[in-house]
Amino acid sequence: MTDTTDTDLEPSTPLPVVPSVAPAIADVMQRLRLDEDLQQDAENSIPEAVAECESILERKLYATAQELADAKDPKGLVIQPDVTAAILLLIDATVGANSVQDAETKRSRAETILLRRAYRGV
């Protein structure tokens, strides 16, 4: 009897780990009005955008007050709508049909939103 196990298959590409604070891919696609052919690019950019937000804020983001309490993170921040807007701007700057200037404008606006929150300390 011959072994029918196919060992020549390439391993599938692991999906990026999407943080719990990230907007759902369906929301990203709808809110940014992205074409379906950009879905994989959008999915890949979500964790990057969240990481960039956390870097600018110098704080870890949490989806709920309970997650923050469980983490016992004194600098942590429960995500707010303005931070979600910044995440979306960063995704759009990466994935959307932008000129270099448009992408930089979106990144700058995202940073402004995040720094305003960082300076308020809330």
Side-chain angles (χ1 to χ4, degrees), residues 43-56:
E43 284 184 65
N44 291 338
S45 70
I46 292 171
E48 297 166 6
V50 172
E52 189 170 348
C53 284
E54 289 179 335
S55 176
I56 292 168

Side-chain angles (χ1 to χ4, degrees), residues 9-87:
L9 293 176
E10 292 182 30
S12 62
T13 304
L15 293 175
V17 176
V18 179
S20 63
V21 296
I25 187 62
D27 292 337
V28 170
M29 298 300 289
Q30 180 182 16
R31 290 177 70 179
L32 299 181
R33 299 175 188 224
L34 297 174
D35 294 331
E36 286 182 22
D37 61 331
L38 293 173
Q39 183 167 340
Q40 187 62 52
D41 292 337
E43 284 184 65
N44 291 338
S45 70
I46 292 171
E48 297 166 6
V50 172
E52 189 170 348
C53 284
E54 289 179 335
S55 176
I56 292 168
L57 288 167
E58 296 181 356
R59 302 168 89 174
K60 180 160 175 45
L61 296 171
Y62 295 92
T64 66
Q66 186 60 51
E67 280 186 22
L68 176 59
D70 292 346
K72 296 182 172 102
D73 180 354
K75 287 184 67 180
L77 176 68
V78 176
I79 194 160
Q80 301 295 316
D82 59 335
V83 177
T84 300
I87 291 170

